[in-house]
């Protein structure tokens, strides 16, 4: 691969690049180290395949954090229920919908439990230097999306707000930033964006009246980051929200006033593939205003993307500053 000889790859940058990449195994290979040290890479995401036991995970994370470069932002999808990458040796986190059900019976206990689970996630992950768990889910469960389903706190926006606030408070208490997802809302479509592009044909006014409320409230609260949805809302824009200047620049940044970091959803997902190859997806996402682009489960595409972007792209200073604010409390002086 050309990145092995690209002199840019040898340059240490104080900025965080826009790509978040993964590795295939439980230990770093020479190729893993080289890619993770490329200046266009600013983040590292972990999956179940990268985990054997706590000792192995600690060794892996320590090695990533000791690479001769600006500290990478480390993340894992660890929201509870179906989406928990590490299980053996970690507390089992219930699906967030369980707190929604409890809220109908005992709101105070539901809020206390949601906060406690946020604290547990924050405490356990931050012990390894992991900065983000990519939660909470702010989507409203309309009973249509199986990929969301019980990952959502509730089918009621006001309940989602209460529980998400409590969950975020738990994360923050352990020094971990929150990432609300999937803006502007993935719960009213049936298709799975991992496999194809879901299409939401509702009127823009209806979307605004329902889906945006939890995001707007958490934005006003100061939530640290958001992740975009690979969903096309036909009455708003022809592009998926994750690649849309209208959704990101005009609505999220200008109208809603969000000043935190914006993550695209994984560019390897089917919901992003409709716009072209990986380079086309990445350039659209960056042009739309995403700060960091996860590119997962496709090493060949990752290498080709880095080589393509290295010809004319450098890390953006403003985006890097937003991303660095997501470092956890164990990040140390480099944060």
């Amino acid at each position: 691969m050309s990145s092995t000889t690209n002199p840019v790859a040898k340059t240490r940058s104080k900025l965080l690049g826009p790509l978040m990449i993964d590795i295939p195994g439980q230990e770093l290979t020479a190729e893993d180290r080289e890619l993770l040290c490329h200046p266009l890479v600013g983040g590292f995401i972990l999956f179940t395949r990268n985990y054997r036991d706590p000792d192995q995970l600690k060794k892996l994370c320590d090695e990533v954090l000791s690479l001769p470069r600006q500290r990478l932002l480390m993340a894992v999808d660890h929201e509870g229920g179906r989406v928990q990458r590490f299980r053996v040796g970690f507390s089992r986190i219930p699906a967030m919908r369980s707190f929604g059900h409890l809220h109908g019976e005992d709101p105070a206990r539901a809020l206390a439990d949601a906060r406690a689970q946020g604290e547990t996630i924050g405490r356990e992950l931050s012990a390894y230097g992991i900065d983000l768990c990519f939660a909470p889910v702010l989507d409203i469960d309309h009973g249509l999306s199986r990929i969301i389903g019980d990952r959502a706190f509730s089918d009621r926006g006001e309940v989602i707000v209460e529980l998400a606030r409590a969950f975020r408070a738990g994360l923050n208490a352990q020094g971990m930033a929150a990432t609300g997802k999937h803006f502007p809302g993935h719960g009213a479509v049936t298709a799975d964006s991992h496999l194809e592009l879901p299409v939401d044909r509702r009127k823009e006014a209806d979307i605004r009246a329902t889906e945006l409320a939890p995001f707007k409230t958490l934005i006003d609260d100061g939530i640290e980051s958001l992740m975009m949805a690979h969903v096309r809302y036909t009455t708003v824009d022809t592009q998926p929200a994750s690649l849309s200047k209208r959704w990101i620049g005009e609505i999220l940044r200008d109208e809603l006033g969000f000043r935190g970091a914006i993550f695209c959803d994984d560019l390897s997902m089917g919901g992003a593939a409709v716009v072209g190859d990986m380079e086309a997806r990445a350039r659209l996402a960056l042009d739309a205003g995403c700060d960091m682009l996860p590119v997962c489960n496709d090493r060949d595409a990752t290498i080709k993307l880095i080589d393509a972007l290295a010809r004319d792209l450098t890390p953006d200073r403003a985006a890097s500053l937003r991303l660095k604010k997501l470092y956890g409390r164990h990040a140390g002086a480099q944060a």
Side-chain angles (χ1 to χ4, degrees):
M1 63 182 178
S2 59
S3 59
T4 58
T5 57
N6 186 343
V8 175
K10 305 300 182 183
T11 302
R12 296 188 190 182
S13 173
K14 293 183 179 180
L15 302 178
L16 287 178
L19 302 182
M20 174 172 275
I21 68 172
D22 59 348
I23 65 170
Q26 297 176 352
E27 300 175 351
L28 294 185
T29 65
E31 182 179 81
D32 295 336
R33 294 186 188 93
E34 180 186 359
L35 291 172
L36 289 170
C37 284
H38 196 285
L40 290 183
V41 174
F44 171 58
I45 184 168
L46 289 146
F47 288 90
T48 300
R49 65 173 179 272
N50 305 130
Y51 179 72
R52 180 175 64 247
D53 55 55
D55 289 341
Q56 170 270 327
L57 180 64
K58 185 66 165 62
K59 182 178 179 181
L60 173 60
C61 291
D62 286 350
E63 187 173 2
V64 171
L65 293 173
S66 67
L67 290 170
R69 55 151 299 143
Q70 170 67 42
R71 184 192 189 281
L72 287 162
L73 193 66
M74 294 213 304
V76 61
D77 279 310
H78 202 85
E79 58 188 59
R82 290 174 284 149
V83 184
Q84 180 173 341
R85 303 306 188 205
F86 314 141
R87 295 181 183 270
V88 177
F90 282 76
S91 299
R92 184 62 61 92
I93 307 299
M96 293 298 104
R97 190 54 181 269
S98 66
F99 304 119
H101 290 316
L102 180 58
H103 188 278
E105 303 169 3
D106 189 339
R109 182 183 169 191
L111 295 176
D113 287 356
R115 179 186 171 110
Q117 293 298 339
E119 288 197 38
T120 297
I121 292 173
R123 181 177 61 254
E124 293 185 351
L125 294 185
S126 64
Y128 297 86
I130 296 171
D131 303 294
L132 296 169
C133 63
F134 284 148
V137 170
L138 299 180
D139 303 311
I140 296 174
D141 179 19
H142 293 277
L144 296 172
S145 175
R146 286 185 295 176
I147 198 61
I148 299 299
D150 65 0
R151 295 167 64 192
F153 285 106
S154 176
D155 58 357
R156 297 168 54 200
E158 63 272 20
V159 174
I160 292 173
V161 166
E162 289 186 42
L163 293 169
R165 278 174 158 169
F167 181 87
R168 177 182 172 233
L171 290 178
N172 290 171
Q174 295 298 320
M176 180 170 281
T179 305
K181 61 187 187 184
H182 307 79
F183 184 84
H186 198 305
V189 291
T190 56
D192 179 356
S193 58
H194 293 86
L195 306 175
E196 59 185 310
L197 177 64
V199 177
D200 189 329
R201 295 183 172 84
R202 289 178 298 166
K203 295 178 180 179
E204 180 174 347
D206 293 337
I207 296 170
R208 287 175 173 274
T210 54
E211 312 307 315
L212 295 195
F215 291 96
K216 178 64 167 68
T217 303
L218 270 292
I219 288 170
D220 291 344
D221 286 350
I223 193 168
E224 299 85 357
S225 59
L226 295 176
M227 179 176 283
M228 302 300 299
H230 289 320
V231 177
R232 177 184 288 148
Y233 305 85
T234 55
T235 63
V236 182
D237 195 359
T238 58
Q239 293 285 21
S242 51
L243 311 176
S244 166
K245 290 183 179 180
R246 175 89 199 286
W247 276 114
I248 297 173
E250 296 181 20
I251 298 176
L252 185 52
R253 290 293 192 201
D254 295 341
E255 181 182 328
L256 299 182
F258 181 61
R259 295 295 174 260
I262 297 176
F263 289 86
C264 191
D265 208 344
D266 178 10
L267 285 179
S268 299
M269 291 166 58
V274 295
V275 303
D277 63 14
M278 194 65 73
E279 181 181 355
R281 302 172 209 176
R283 291 190 184 278
L284 280 170
L286 291 171
D287 192 45
C290 290
D291 294 315
M292 183 161 276
L293 321 178
V295 184
C296 310
N297 304 310
D298 192 336
R299 175 54 61 87
D300 288 343
T302 299
I303 293 172
K304 291 177 182 177
L305 177 61
I306 290 174
D307 287 342
L309 296 181
R311 293 193 293 265
D312 61 359
L313 186 70
T314 56
D316 179 82
R317 184 170 300 276
S320 178
L321 290 173
R322 287 190 290 267
L323 292 166
K324 285 185 178 182
K325 291 179 181 179
L326 304 180
Y327 282 145
R329 62 185 172 91
H330 295 298
Q334 292 188 73

